[in-house]
Amino acid sequence: MKRTLYPKLIAGFLIYGAIGVLIIATFTYHMTSRYVERREASKLYREATMISSTYVQNYYNDTMTLEEIKLQLDTISSYLSSEIWIVNPKGVVLLNTTKPLLSDVVTIPDFDVTDFGNRYYQTGDFYGQFTSEHLSVFSPVTVNYKVRAYIMIHEPTNSLVNTANQLTAIFYQTLILLFAAAFIVLILFTYVVYIPIRKITKAAWEYSSGNFNTKIAVNSGDEIGYLAASLNYMANELHTLEEDQRKFVSNISHDFRSPLTSIKGYAEAMLDGTIPLEMQEKYLNIIVFETERLNKLTSSLLELNKFGSRGFILDITDFDINYAVRMTVLSFEGTCKEKHISFNLILTGQKLFVSADMSKIQQVVYNLIDNAIKFSHPDSFITVETTEKNEKIFVSVKDTGIGIPKDSISKIWERFYKTDLSRGKDKKGTGLGLSIVKEIIQAHGENITCISTEGVGTEFIFSLPLAKKRQI
């Protein structure tokens, strides 16, 4: 049996971690860098706008000098850790906080604010003015609706990279915590789900091999526990069924072999002259007897098979159960005279109507009375009683015969089962009579019970539905 589920779980766990690292290293880092860049650009833009609308406009309104402006901007530049430039539209740097005012004039080649596009910032070396990458933010200085200059703030991007790296490190730490949490979940999954499933799978493998003795040791109250309990129950039922099948084959083989052996033996004896001609009639009668026994056994098997099929349909009618009992008892008159057995009929009312299949119920009563006669002592009596209670009719067949051992009462309904006490007496029996009786009663949706004491007697009681319309 291959173990593929758990390696898949481990592989999925590792892939989950690898994908998490890959996402943080690419997508998350890129988004974080963009976020830090936009946030810093927004901050510098606010500063540039403030400088443009205050200090520099005062310069063009002749209320402040460049020296005064530089003094203010040097302080702001130091606070922002950046460079602040004032650049006219032609690209001439009028003021640079990193250089004195009297230094050489610097002109930015190809300066054009339209290169910023629709944004107020860009990153790069700013027309070759820096040797490293900088974040450059601009804000126009407008006087009398005319752009007179631009405030440029430049900040090295290495500080932004450091900030992005710090945030990304937090994401990695969070991923590690999530990975640890997922690992804990994997461990819990292993003990709560995977191990029970492995036990169930192993047991199912044993069941498929015919070993139904394996029990699944899973006692949880969830669906897995319910599945394990169901499989344990199924295995027990299959084991019982297998034992029943073995007994069925063994019993039917025995019941068929005995009469066939007799028939074959006597037929061969007559053919080879072992049995003289004047004795053949006796043994022919034995052959006929064994043939009838086989015919009865075959008919009983066909009857049981018909009851077990889904196509079995009962012919439900309302009939007088008392009349059915009386007629069935009359059919045993000859047998009862031979054994000196009498009947005691205790019937409720002259007529008692039930709703059932008349022919099948007559067969039930016949089988029960037949059994009672077989196992009754000579000069005894059999009681057949009908009673009405709670919209039900109860029919009882009671004898005073050999009884049934206590440990055999639950088995008498099994096909071909015979108690040890009955084997010496029931020479014609097939062991199918009570199975047929139970099948018929259950087909009616009713029940049959047995009360027996060994050496005292046996009583069978079955129920039938009372006819809805009482007939007179």
Side-chain angles (χ1 to χ4, degrees):
M1 182 170 55
K2 295 182 179 179
R3 301 182 179 183
T4 58
L5 180 60
Y6 203 65
K8 289 179 180 178
L9 290 175
I10 297 297
F13 178 72
L14 296 176
I15 291 173
Y16 161 76
I19 291 175
V21 173
L22 182 63
I23 289 174
I24 292 177
T26 55
F27 177 78
T28 304
Y29 180 77
H30 175 71
M31 296 299 294
T32 302
S33 300
R34 293 287 302 274
Y35 168 75
V36 171
E37 182 182 284
R38 288 195 301 268
R39 187 186 65 173
E40 188 65 17
S42 178
K43 183 184 75 170
L44 296 179
Y45 179 73
R46 288 194 301 270
E47 294 294 336
T49 303
M50 184 272 295
I51 295 170
S52 170
S53 61
T54 54
Y55 304 115
V56 182
Q57 281 193 1
N58 290 338
Y59 167 73
Y60 285 101
N61 291 330
D62 297 326
T63 58
M64 288 186 71
T65 63
L66 279 179
E67 289 80 4
E68 291 174 331
I69 293 173
K70 186 176 187 308
L71 183 63
Q72 297 294 331
L73 296 187
D74 284 344
T75 303
I76 297 172
S77 176
S78 177
Y79 171 73
L80 297 176
S81 300
S82 59
E83 298 182 20
I84 301 176
W85 296 1
I86 299 177
V87 182
N88 68 17
K90 294 181 179 181
V92 178
V93 180
L94 304 178
L95 184 148
N96 186 340
T97 55
T98 61
K99 297 179 180 181
L101 286 175
L102 299 178
S103 61
D104 295 335
V105 177
V106 176
T107 300
I108 302 172
D110 302 322
F111 175 75
D112 187 357
V113 293
T114 60
D115 292 339
F116 283 76
N118 60 353
R119 298 191 301 176
Y120 52 85
Y121 70 94
Q122 65 175 208
T123 57
D125 59 3
F126 195 67
Y127 301 101
Q129 300 300 308
F130 300 104
T131 57
S132 61
E133 190 175 83
H134 278 63
L135 171 65
S136 301
V137 177
F138 83 95
S139 176
V141 180
T142 305
V143 179
N144 296 326
Y145 304 104
K146 183 179 180 182
V147 177
R148 303 296 297 274
Y150 298 96
I151 302 300
M152 310 295 302
I153 301 179
H154 307 285
E155 179 181 326
T157 57
N158 56 2
S159 61
L160 305 182
V161 173
N162 291 335
T163 303
N165 288 338
Q166 291 173 1
L167 292 175
T168 304
I170 295 175
F171 295 142
Y172 278 118
Q173 292 170 5
T174 303
L175 178 63
I176 291 173
L177 293 176
L178 291 174
F179 200 69
F183 184 72
I184 294 173
V185 171
L186 179 62
I187 293 175
L188 292 175
F189 180 86
T190 300
Y191 284 97
V192 176
V193 178
Y194 177 72
I195 291 179
I197 288 178
R198 283 288 302 163
K199 292 180 180 178
I200 292 173
T201 305
K202 182 178 180 182
W205 184 266
E206 293 291 333
Y207 298 157
S208 67
S209 302
N211 180 17
F212 300 111
N213 294 319
T214 302
K215 298 300 179 183
I216 306 173
V218 177
N219 301 313
S220 59
D222 53 14
E223 289 80 359
I224 293 179
Y226 179 78
L227 174 61
S230 299
L231 288 176
N232 281 332
Y233 177 78
M234 179 197 71
N236 183 65
E237 291 298 308
L238 288 175
H239 180 70
T240 303
L241 179 61
E242 187 179 45
E243 290 297 318
D244 290 344
Q245 287 177 338
R246 289 198 186 102
K247 291 179 182 178
F248 180 86
V249 173
S250 175
N251 288 330
I252 196 173
S253 299
H254 176 271
D255 282 300
F256 270 95
R257 186 187 300 114
S258 297
L260 286 174
T261 301
S262 298
I263 292 171
K264 180 183 178 183
Y266 293 135
E268 289 177 346
M270 285 186 286
L271 286 174
D272 62 17
T274 303
I275 298 177
L277 185 63
E278 62 272 14
M279 297 289 295
Q280 287 185 2
E281 182 179 357
K282 172 184 176 182
Y283 292 101
L284 283 173
N285 287 330
I286 295 176
I287 290 174
V288 171
F289 173 82
E290 294 293 354
T291 304
E292 289 177 352
R293 182 180 171 190
L294 285 174
N295 183 59
K296 183 179 179 181
L297 180 61
T298 304
S299 299
S300 298
L301 285 171
L302 292 174
E303 190 78 12
L304 280 175
N305 183 62
K306 180 174 63 176
F307 291 155
S309 66
R310 292 185 179 182
F312 178 71
I313 299 176
L314 295 173
D315 182 17
I316 303 296
T317 58
D318 293 344
F319 66 92
D320 182 10
I321 187 65
N322 289 346
Y323 175 79
V325 169
R326 292 190 188 99
M327 295 304 296
T328 305
V329 167
L330 287 176
S331 65
F332 288 97
E333 184 176 358
T335 305
C336 291
K337 283 183 178 180
E338 293 178 5
K339 295 187 68 174
H340 302 286
I341 295 174
S342 60
F343 283 96
N344 181 21
L345 301 183
I346 306 175
L347 307 178
T348 300
Q350 289 297 318
K351 295 183 179 181
L352 189 59
F353 286 88
V354 297
S355 182
D357 186 317
M358 183 174 179
S359 63
K360 295 295 184 291
I361 297 304
Q362 284 180 320
Q363 185 178 359
V364 169
V365 176
Y366 183 93
N367 284 357
L368 293 179
I369 293 176
D370 186 46
N371 264 8
I373 293 174
K374 288 177 184 176
F375 304 115
S376 291
H377 303 295
D379 299 315
S380 62
F381 63 91
I382 296 171
T383 301
V384 182
E385 182 179 1
T386 61
T387 56
E388 177 185 349
K389 186 177 181 181
N390 298 328
E391 299 298 317
K392 294 282 186 182
I393 300 299
F394 294 89
V395 181
S396 166
V397 178
K398 183 178 182 180
D399 64 62
T400 55
I402 62 176
I404 301 172
K406 186 176 181 180
D407 58 350
S408 297
I409 291 179
S410 61
K411 302 177 182 178
I412 58 175
W413 312 108
E414 297 177 6
R415 301 180 182 188
F416 297 103
Y417 181 79
K418 292 182 181 181
T419 66
D420 293 335
L421 295 176
S422 70
R423 291 191 180 276
K425 293 179 174 289
D426 190 14
K427 298 297 184 180
K428 295 184 180 181
T430 62
L432 294 173
L434 291 179
S435 297
I436 294 174
V437 166
K438 188 172 184 179
E439 293 282 355
I440 293 174
I441 297 301
Q442 287 184 340
H444 284 79
E446 299 296 330
N447 297 304
I448 182 169
T449 58
C450 174
I451 303 171
S452 183
T453 301
E454 191 174 348
V456 177
T458 302
E459 180 180 12
F460 288 93
I461 306 171
F462 65 90
S463 61
L464 291 173
L466 182 67
K468 294 181 179 180
K469 293 183 179 180
R470 305 277 181 111
Q471 302 187 30
I472 301 174

